[in-house]
DNA sequence: TCTTTAAAACCTAACCGTTAGTGTTACGGT
DNA sequence: ACCGTAACACTAACGGTTAGGTTTTAAAGA
């Protein structure tokens, strides 16, 4: 049982952070492919098995904040005020994420990602997970009459918006445009399923 | 010059096909993870290096027709009659692909894919490639006034349609619904240059 | 026909991410 | 003070993938 409150947790977190920091530093210094897992472990002064008990794969070392993204997205759905419309809430959150990723401090990392097929692939599978979590959150919202298919589609569209905008020359404008498209796509799902007038806006 | 007319091409294709057939058979018999590359090579009676000169990875053995899909999608854009609208042409092609993948003969393969994280990840990165090819084809169409961002977004939406519909309980109906959403999303991109207000209901 | 060229296939041996198996340490609860 | 267990360590291996260099074989020119 026991809330493991204390030193153990702190030490574990410190170890994890040290591994992540060391890895990122080495990757940026020498290139992702030129640095082996054994190098990272040695430099962070931990065993290889310890490294893998904190991170599921070499690529996961780069996308350390993965789960934050996921939580923020689903919370944008679940934590919004009653009757607050879905799409603008998502737009707001995605905009924050895009801003975070296009900040100057992040550009070396994204350049590294673009240059490594393994990292690009990993990022894509990450986004699939995010889309699925988001779809689950949207589907679970009792205030939305849409069916599962529409929710799953919209969830993917939102993740696409993030991906496309992040790579666009002008991310803010691109995001605006794509969310206009998403808004239109979402609107038509209201009309099709039920002839029942769920009263207008 | 070289029109390497004949035998060499045929033999190469035969070798490739033999490897692919053997691999698929072994995977279905014993399970994807339980079969090693060395097993496939031995059973197909080729060297491991030969196998990798035909297929870039173990996962590629399963998605042998990858490139056909890609060509058919881009051709659906480039080969359509003048003034034929884009979205219905894409809908038609995606519907054919979905039918192909949900055929009874294909179900064991997709079950295998669903059970293997490596295969799911590979499929996702495949779809990213398809979306990028499709985006390039759409952007290059001189008859379409839309900007690059809208084209890239729509390309991803179309690939999403395929992915979501394939997994839906009723793929045909799901595809109809998602393409209604895509049609709406595409329609609003035409308006943005001139007017900012959204049309009434 | 004979020779030349180069693609295709071969073999060996390794590289590197990842995991299993098996201790060892030290924190936290009792 | 003592026990259970979470965190970490070490070795050795497994499996996909690649580098190196050699042999076969189809295709084209002499």
């Amino acid at each position: 049982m026991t809330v493991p409150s204390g030193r153990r947790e702190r030490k574990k977190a410190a170890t994890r952070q040290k591994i992540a920091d060391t890895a990122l530093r080495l990757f940026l210094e020498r290139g992702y492919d030129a640095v082996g897992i054994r190098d990272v472990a040695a430099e962070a002064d931990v065993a290889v098995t310890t490294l893998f008990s904190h991170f599921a794969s070499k690529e996961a070392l780069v996308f350390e904040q993965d789960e934050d993204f996921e939580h923020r997205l689903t919370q944008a759905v679940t934590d919004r005020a009653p009757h607050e419309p879905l799409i603008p809430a998502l737009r707001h959150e995605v905009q924050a994420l895009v801003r975070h990723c296009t900040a100057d401090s992040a550009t070396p990392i994204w350049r590294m990602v673009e240059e490594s097929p393994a990292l690009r692939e990993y990022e894509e599978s990450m986004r699939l997970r995010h889309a699925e979590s988001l779809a689950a959150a949207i589907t679970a919202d009792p205030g939305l009459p849409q069916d599962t298919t529409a929710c799953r589609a919209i969830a993917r569209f939102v993740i696409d918006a993030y991906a496309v905008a992040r790579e666009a020359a002008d991310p803010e404008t691109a995001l605006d445009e794509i969310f206009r498209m998403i808004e239109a796509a979402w609107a038509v799902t209201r009309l099709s399923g039920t002839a029942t007038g769920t009263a207008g806006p």
Side-chain angles (χ1 to χ4, degrees), chain A:
Chain A
M1 299 302 300
T2 69
V3 190
S5 52
R7 183 153 20 189
R8 213 172 234 181
E9 265 189 343
R10 259 182 297 117
K11 283 202 174 181
K12 182 174 183 178
T15 301
R16 182 192 156 94
Q17 199 59 43
K18 183 171 187 183
I19 294 171
D21 292 347
T22 305
L24 198 55
R25 181 170 57 79
L26 291 185
F27 290 160
L28 290 175
E29 277 174 13
R30 309 182 203 165
Y32 181 76
D33 290 324
V35 178
I37 284 290
R38 291 162 179 87
D39 299 330
V40 176
E43 184 87 4
D45 200 30
V46 296
V48 171
T49 47
T50 301
L51 188 154
F52 277 108
S53 78
H54 286 276
F55 298 92
S57 66
K58 185 186 181 185
E59 296 92 54
L61 288 166
V62 174
F63 297 98
E64 200 211 338
Q65 325 172 325
D66 178 12
E67 299 192 358
D68 291 346
F69 279 40
E70 201 165 328
H71 280 105
R72 290 182 59 174
L73 274 173
T74 55
Q75 282 181 1
V77 175
T78 57
D79 291 7
R80 83 204 130 99
H83 301 98
E84 189 189 347
L86 175 71
I87 307 295
L90 283 171
R91 200 196 83 92
H92 185 262
E93 191 57 43
V94 172
Q95 189 172 49
L97 294 180
V98 169
R99 284 204 183 116
H100 185 261
C101 291
T102 56
D104 284 350
S105 63
T107 44
I109 296 172
W110 288 112
R111 207 165 46 75
M112 179 176 80
V113 172
E114 277 160 30
E115 281 166 4
S116 161
L119 286 176
R120 289 192 69 90
E121 184 161 341
Y122 183 84
E123 198 206 342
E124 194 61 19
S125 80
M126 232 178 58
R127 281 204 291 251
L128 177 60
R129 282 208 319 280
H130 296 182
E132 280 168 356
S133 295
L134 185 55
I138 297 175
T139 306
D141 189 313
L144 302 173
Q146 277 82 356
D147 63 292
T148 307
T149 296
C151 293
R152 304 229 304 151
I154 281 293
R156 283 186 177 252
F157 292 1
V158 168
I159 302 296
D160 291 337
Y162 160 76
V164 172
R166 215 199 62 217
E167 294 173 355
D170 180 351
E172 301 273 342
T173 307
L175 201 64
D176 281 346
E177 177 165 19
I178 302 174
F179 262 93
R180 240 177 285 128
M181 298 167 73
I182 293 178
E183 193 82 64
W186 183 243
V188 297
T189 65
R190 249 173 277 252
L191 312 169
S192 50
T194 57
T196 72
T198 46

